[in-house]
Amino acid sequence: MTASAGSPVTVHGPDGAVTGQRRTARAGGSRWLPAIPAVVTLAVMLYQIQRPSFWRDEGATLAAVHRSLPQMFRMLGYQDAAHGAYYLLMWGWVRVFGSGEVALRLPSAIAMAVAAAFITLIGRRLVSPGAGLAGGLVFAALPSVTRYGQEARSYAMMAALATVASYLLIRALAAEPPSRRHWLTGYAVALAGLGLANIFGLLLIPAHLPLLLLTLRQAGGTDGPGGPAGAARRLLWGWLAAVAVACVVVSPLVVLGWAQRHQEVWIKPVSLKEVGSLAALAGGTRPALVAGVITLGAVAVGAARGRARLQADWPAPLLALAVPWLLLPAVLLLAGSLLHPSYVFRYVVFCIPAAALLAGAALAALGWWLAVVGLILIVLSGLPGQQHARAVSGHSENLRQLSHLLARHARPGDAVIFAGRNDREFGICWPPTRRRRWCGAGWPPSPACGPWKPAPTGAMCRYWPGSASARSAAGMSPASGWSSTRASSHSGRRSTEALARDQRTARMRHGKLSISQHNREPAGQFGRSGGR
């Protein structure tokens, strides 16, 4: 493998270097080529982006960005430090564009479009323009991309930053020393941004090691400081310096995250279900099977045409980058979860671009017509997942329906008790008029309290406004009210156990949510028709 300024990493096979025409094709292609998958991905993300209801995690985003900056910084001192950079970004965003479903989710949709563009750039440099284009379009078709591209959380930005960092690393490895420093500087910035978006994003660093080692091995030698061995050492030290800078920038967040590790008590120990969730890296079970069959077919076709063609279709740098990127972060996180449960699929969403890269290379290896057929099959296999991601309850809890139920059945003066310690985000997802009606004037919640810290006496926070003093301060009658919790919230059930024993007159379930009416007056018509 050789590297020169302005040209991609090149693979040498047994018959010599790849032809100059193929190298030119890899680096060349229309400058507008990355825009095609980017525009397609953005269009897919924006389609019905407002339809899924906000869910609890998006409620946490809303709860954070509606605070003042001093309140937010105090909150981050005891909870959600891992999302602090994202909250700060969104704090400025909502003050310009608002906090509706479209406005709040738009940055994630744009981030996925950026990821698609850089997937195309990586595929074009490592394989061919066709492979880059196919990879970007496959990325747009994956249901898991839609799911997190339509969510007001940081995971889409992690995918974009991981893809940008990978592209900048490729350029740094291929650059001559005078320009390499600039690429490595950008690489350090991208890694730091990835770690700030979520500290688990730093798991991309070990995934980049195989590509670096492949470059060092083929560029090394026994020459002096100015020869290949000296160049390899300088490249290694440059990469280590970039990684060190990124880790230093993220280190305060790592310290805070470790101090707040008690927030992960909800994460379950590793099981076969968590391992099976890795299929979502390729869009889900059906798209993963289709992409797997296409990849095996592409490898078989390349092998039948000879070793040189196989190596051209599947360059060593592509495999050294994409395979570890796809698997290693998830494997490391799963392994760490054996000691302390911390694996959740959304923490490795930044690995999805690697699956798209490999699928794009497989489609390009099949030739034009078969590539079109294969892409259509991947799109069709992902349609059920795309439809599910856009359902009203596609993001888990349907808080919009909870709001409608309260609007239909609540009476004047009723209050809402968020019984679970992590359920108070439900209220912020409701329309402002309903939020003021049921949750009182105590918004935003007291900055001195949160779901992981006891609320001061009378503060409209955890049971907001569940305490008698809070209801009184909000001008609400203590005679009746509602409690809302998730079906899996043990703390919520314990919190309302005594109240529910004597006073609950009705309970309704909607998916994972349970809402109960509590009334100190005799049960009325609604109490006799519980279960609606």
Side-chain angles (χ1 to χ4, degrees), residues 298-508:
V299 171
V301 169
R305 294 177 178 177
R307 183 179 177 184
R309 178 57 185 269
L310 184 64
Q311 291 180 336
D313 290 340
W314 299 96
L318 171 70
L319 300 178
L321 172 67
V323 174
W325 181 4
L326 177 63
L327 300 176
L328 192 57
V331 170
L332 291 175
L333 195 54
L334 283 168
S337 294
L338 297 176
L339 301 176
H340 178 78
S342 54
Y343 173 82
V344 181
F345 172 75
R346 54 184 176 266
Y347 294 164
V348 294
V349 164
F350 67 92
C351 300
I352 295 176
L357 275 172
L358 293 170
L363 290 174
L366 293 174
W368 175 253
W369 291 109
L370 286 177
V372 172
V373 173
L375 181 60
I376 291 174
L377 290 176
I378 291 175
V379 171
L380 293 176
S381 67
L383 286 181
Q386 294 279 3
Q387 187 176 22
H388 179 268
R390 290 175 172 81
V392 176
S393 57
H395 288 190
S396 187
E397 298 105 346
N398 184 353
L399 303 185
R400 188 182 300 154
Q401 180 66 15
L402 182 62
S403 169
H404 293 336
L405 289 172
L406 284 170
R408 179 181 177 185
H409 298 294
R411 296 175 298 178
D414 280 0
V416 179
I417 303 172
F418 295 100
R421 64 179 178 179
N422 204 29
D423 293 343
R424 67 189 181 91
E425 287 87 356
F426 291 176
I428 188 58
C429 297
W430 296 339
T433 54
R434 294 178 181 176
R435 185 167 68 237
R436 287 192 294 268
R437 174 184 172 188
W438 299 319
C439 301
W443 184 260
S446 167
C449 60
W452 302 101
K453 188 175 182 179
T457 303
M460 287 182 170
C461 187
R462 180 167 164 186
Y463 292 103
W464 151 115
S467 65
S469 58
R471 281 198 299 267
S472 176
M476 296 181 178
S477 168
S480 63
W482 298 77
S483 66
S484 173
T485 185
R486 287 166 292 157
S488 60
S489 176
H490 299 290
S491 62
R493 287 199 295 271
R494 288 196 302 268
S495 299
T496 57
E497 186 178 10
L499 181 65
R501 187 179 300 122
D502 299 320
Q503 299 173 331
R504 188 178 70 241
T505 59
R507 169 173 287 183
M508 291 174 286

Side-chain angles (χ1 to χ4, degrees), residues 267-316:
I267 299 180
K268 299 178 181 179
V270 175
S271 66
L272 290 178
K273 180 180 179 181
E274 280 69 39
V275 176
S277 71
L278 295 179
L281 290 174
T285 304
R286 292 179 182 176
L289 288 174
V290 172
V293 170
I294 291 173
T295 300
L296 291 175
V299 171
V301 169
R305 294 177 178 177
R307 183 179 177 184
R309 178 57 185 269
L310 184 64
Q311 291 180 336
D313 290 340
W314 299 96

Side-chain angles (χ1 to χ4, degrees), residues 74-319:
R74 285 196 291 272
M75 179 199 76
L76 295 176
Y78 58 80
Q79 73 175 70
D80 272 358
H83 303 289
Y86 175 73
Y87 289 162
L88 288 173
L89 175 66
M90 295 304 295
W91 187 91
W93 176 272
V94 300
R95 276 149 184 80
V96 177
F97 299 102
S99 57
E101 283 95 341
V102 176
L104 204 66
R105 292 167 174 168
L106 183 57
S108 294
I110 295 172
M112 287 302 193
V114 171
F118 277 87
I119 288 170
T120 305
L121 289 171
I122 292 173
R124 183 172 69 179
R125 293 196 68 85
L126 295 184
V127 189
S128 67
L133 178 62
L137 293 177
V138 167
F139 184 76
L142 298 180
S144 50
V145 174
T146 295
R147 169 64 179 81
Y148 294 99
Q150 293 186 341
E151 179 178 270
R153 297 298 277 174
S154 62
Y155 308 112
M157 295 184 183
M158 290 177 67
L161 288 166
T163 311
V164 171
S166 299
Y167 175 75
L168 294 173
L169 176 63
I170 293 169
R171 295 303 302 266
L173 297 180
E176 295 290 349
S179 60
R180 180 180 297 153
R181 182 179 302 175
H182 303 295
W183 294 111
L184 285 174
T185 300
Y187 175 68
V189 172
L191 280 183
L194 178 60
L196 291 174
N198 191 293
I199 55 178
F200 291 123
L202 295 180
L203 293 173
L204 182 67
I205 294 173
H208 280 168
L209 268 174
L211 178 61
L212 175 69
L213 295 176
L214 176 67
T215 306
L216 295 176
R217 181 175 64 84
Q218 297 195 8
T222 58
D223 298 43
R233 284 194 296 271
R234 288 192 296 272
L235 176 58
L236 174 61
W237 284 111
W239 181 82
L240 289 173
V243 168
V245 168
C247 290
V248 168
V249 171
V250 181
S251 59
L253 187 62
V254 175
V255 173
L256 272 175
W258 178 255
Q260 298 174 9
R261 64 189 182 279
H262 55 276
Q263 293 186 50
E264 296 183 346
V265 295
W266 59 272
I267 299 180
K268 299 178 181 179
V270 175
S271 66
L272 290 178
K273 180 180 179 181
E274 280 69 39
V275 176
S277 71
L278 295 179
L281 290 174
T285 304
R286 292 179 182 176
L289 288 174
V290 172
V293 170
I294 291 173
T295 300
L296 291 175
V299 171
V301 169
R305 294 177 178 177
R307 183 179 177 184
R309 178 57 185 269
L310 184 64
Q311 291 180 336
D313 290 340
W314 299 96
L318 171 70
L319 300 178

Side-chain angles (χ1 to χ4, degrees), residues 1-96:
M1 176 169 52
T2 62
S4 59
S7 63
V9 175
T10 307
V11 178
H12 291 273
D15 299 325
V18 177
T19 64
Q21 182 179 1
R22 187 172 180 84
R23 287 197 302 269
T24 303
R26 286 183 184 177
S30 172
R31 292 185 177 183
W32 295 101
L33 186 67
I36 299 174
V39 170
V40 172
T41 301
L42 184 60
V44 173
M45 297 302 104
L46 292 179
Y47 176 63
Q48 293 186 335
I49 192 173
Q50 80 290 346
R51 189 164 184 246
S53 166
F54 280 138
W55 75 295
R56 175 173 46 86
D57 278 19
E58 291 179 297
T61 299
L62 279 166
V65 300
H66 278 288
R67 288 175 163 88
S68 67
L69 278 179
Q71 288 175 334
M72 183 188 294
F73 282 119
R74 285 196 291 272
M75 179 199 76
L76 295 176
Y78 58 80
Q79 73 175 70
D80 272 358
H83 303 289
Y86 175 73
Y87 289 162
L88 288 173
L89 175 66
M90 295 304 295
W91 187 91
W93 176 272
V94 300
R95 276 149 184 80
V96 177

